[in-house]
Amino acid sequence: MAAGTGVFAEILDGDVYKYYADGEWKTASSGKTVAIINPTTRKTQYKVQACSQEEVNKVMDLAKSAQKLWAKTPLWKRAELLHKAAAILKEHKAPIAECLVKEIAKPAKDAVTEVVRSGDLISYTAEEGVRILGEGKFLVSDSFPGNERTKYCLTSKIPLGVILAIPPFNYPVNLAVSKIAPALIAGNSIVLKPPTQGAVSGLHMIHCFHLAGFPKGLINCVTGKGSEIGDFLTMHPGVNCISFTGGDTGIGISKKAGMIPLQMELGGKDACIVLEDADLDLVAINIIKGGFSYSGQRCTAVKVVLVIESVADALVEKVKANVAKLTVGPPEDDSDITPVVSESSANYIEGLVLDAKEKGATFCQEYKREGNLIWPLLLDHVRPDMRIAWEEPFGPVLPVIRINTVEEGIHHCNASNFGLQGCVFTKDVNKAILISDAMETGTVQINSAPARGPDHFPFQGIKDSGIGSQGITNSINMMTKVKTTVINLPSPSYTMG
């Protein structure tokens, strides 16, 4: 089955994909559409509806009223529907993976993996939610000085209301369900604003929730131009929580949003610190995996290698040998390196490369670009005065900075405005823990490349890399608030015995 056919035929109107509200697939009143450009062909691949602010208002009202009923739905029933959606999503992995290949140039095998992983995430969230939310807390007053045992306090977790979920282009299915599933199990409703590149994958994924039979109005998906509905959505008084994954836009959203919980996972400049005792073969494999998988378009990609001078030559040679084995080409062929998401993205990466060239970095390969396709490039002898030392390329270009001491590496890592993940390679576990403690990042991986996952691990950034924490349990906690009921008993003088 291909995208937009079979069970997915109802989400397509002519050659334009519909948006989803009130349990129905609809066309926008504006009659306008947004084109989605295939990064490989650089031609229009799909079109989606350009929703108006008026349509956003309607969706918000629907989400608000549907949420009230959903919050009263038994927890086991919510979990049952999530399990159903997970099964449907996995059953229809092929057409959704096809969208990922065409919209964001994700290699075919990785596209299938993303959909399957997303189904697993939904099921795990359903299980975890039943456990976390089914358990409250009981406190008694006489544990605090000056109090008799006259108050019993019961606490439980209640939903926040309407959750606005904004995932990024690079994992438009997985990072959407990582927001949707915790929100739903906790009793919230959802308004999804998918990224433009990745919108059609997102609409197919939402249809799987539709087929599972969730109540009308509970899950909504609006597409459109950020300039038209972006700020309107994030500043909407009907929104009770924003869960956003992406780049700098998140900083702007955080400043404009009202007094609501924010879950923001933004950019990273994940550092890889390599000590002289490291297993260099292991490091080289992880640098390739960390720096070049999905053409480096991952917030947790290795973005700078900080290697002790004495082993730098040997490491660079090993990485160069592995870079030479990477296949470059279209995502349909399962190439290791595929086109980056857009022309503007490719131009930005090129700007960083030219700056490094001008300032004397050593090019380990020839810089090569065709359209949005950039060949993998390792830059040695990068210095702190080069932009690539600090800026996030989000492409297959990796800088190597040679250091004389570990302290120098930690200092470079901590001088960054980002703090998402980092990694350290050494055989000395004591050193590894000390360096991990000293690195100002949300997660440090020891002897492995940075990665978001498994999906139930906590995942958070500090500084410009975000606020709030993700991971299944963290997200459920983030999308609920504590409700307390206090039972006041008569004073002990009235009690029996």
Side-chain angles (χ1 to χ4, degrees), residues 5-70:
T5 65
V7 294
F8 295 110
E10 66 178 293
I11 76 176
L12 194 55
D13 176 31
D15 67 341
V16 186
Y17 281 90
K18 301 179 195 175
Y19 78 99
Y20 186 68
D22 202 20
E24 290 170 18
W25 290 98
K26 306 180 177 232
T27 54
S29 55
S30 68
K32 291 182 185 158
T33 60
V34 179
I36 295 169
I37 310 296
N38 181 322
T40 311
T41 63
R42 293 189 291 160
K43 292 186 171 75
T44 298
Q45 181 71 48
Y46 301 120
K47 288 179 197 154
V48 294
Q49 305 293 328
C51 294
S52 65
Q53 296 185 354
E54 194 43 52
E55 281 153 332
V56 168
N57 281 334
K58 278 187 196 148
V59 159
M60 287 296 172
D61 289 343
L62 292 164
K64 192 173 186 173
S65 50
Q67 189 272 325
K68 300 271 187 275
L69 284 171
W70 180 243

Side-chain angles (χ1 to χ4, degrees), residues 268-494:
K269 185 69 180 170
D270 300 13
C272 171
I273 298 179
V274 184
L275 273 57
E276 53 271 280
D277 69 339
D279 174 343
L280 296 184
D281 289 317
L282 177 73
V283 180
I285 289 164
N286 276 280
I287 284 174
I288 294 291
K289 186 177 84 177
F292 297 103
S293 65
Y294 189 39
S295 304
Q297 295 177 112
R298 294 163 42 252
C299 50
T300 56
V302 169
K303 307 247 171 73
V304 59
V305 177
L306 300 155
V307 57
I308 296 287
E309 181 70 67
S310 61
V311 292
D313 285 346
L315 178 65
V316 167
E317 281 313 309
K318 285 181 190 290
V319 176
K320 263 168 74 172
N322 285 343
V323 167
K325 294 177 197 160
L326 293 172
T327 57
V328 182
E332 289 83 355
D333 297 350
D334 259 341
S335 310
D336 297 317
I337 305 291
T338 56
V340 295
V341 73
S342 65
E343 192 173 342
S344 60
S345 185
N347 291 341
Y348 177 75
I349 296 160
E350 185 161 301
L352 295 180
V353 170
L354 296 176
D355 173 79
K357 186 166 200 164
E358 204 176 289
K359 291 172 182 165
T362 303
F363 280 55
C364 299
Q365 296 81 18
E366 182 193 347
Y367 172 64
K368 191 176 172 193
R369 172 185 171 185
E370 277 174 19
N372 296 345
L373 186 60
I374 292 176
W375 269 250
L377 179 62
L378 188 69
L379 297 171
D380 194 2
H381 299 288
V382 166
R383 294 188 320 274
D385 66 333
M386 299 175 188
R387 286 174 55 201
I388 191 98
W390 305 105
E391 294 178 44
E392 183 182 26
F394 232 66
V397 179
L398 184 62
V400 176
I401 298 177
R402 294 168 177 242
I403 53 175
N404 295 307
T405 63
V406 174
E407 289 72 22
E408 211 181 306
I410 293 167
H411 175 78
H412 183 92
C413 167
N414 293 352
S416 171
N417 60 315
F418 293 116
L420 189 59
Q421 286 210 9
C423 58
V424 53
F425 286 85
T426 173
K427 293 193 184 87
D428 185 332
V429 70
N430 295 340
K431 272 189 191 161
I433 298 291
L434 288 169
I435 294 166
S436 167
D437 282 351
M439 289 170 80
E440 292 166 4
T441 58
T443 302
V444 177
Q445 303 270 352
I446 293 169
N447 293 326
S448 181
R452 176 188 150 268
D455 286 326
H456 67 303
F457 281 17
F459 181 63
Q460 60 284 312
I462 58 172
K463 298 187 277 190
D464 286 355
S465 288
I467 45 178
S469 187
Q470 304 196 23
I472 289 167
T473 308
N474 296 46
S475 292
I476 292 171
N477 288 330
M478 176 95 203
M479 293 173 181
T480 52
K481 55 188 164 198
V482 172
K483 170 78 176 270
T484 304
T485 304
V486 180
I487 302 164
N488 292 278
L489 304 169
S491 69
S493 56
Y494 295 115

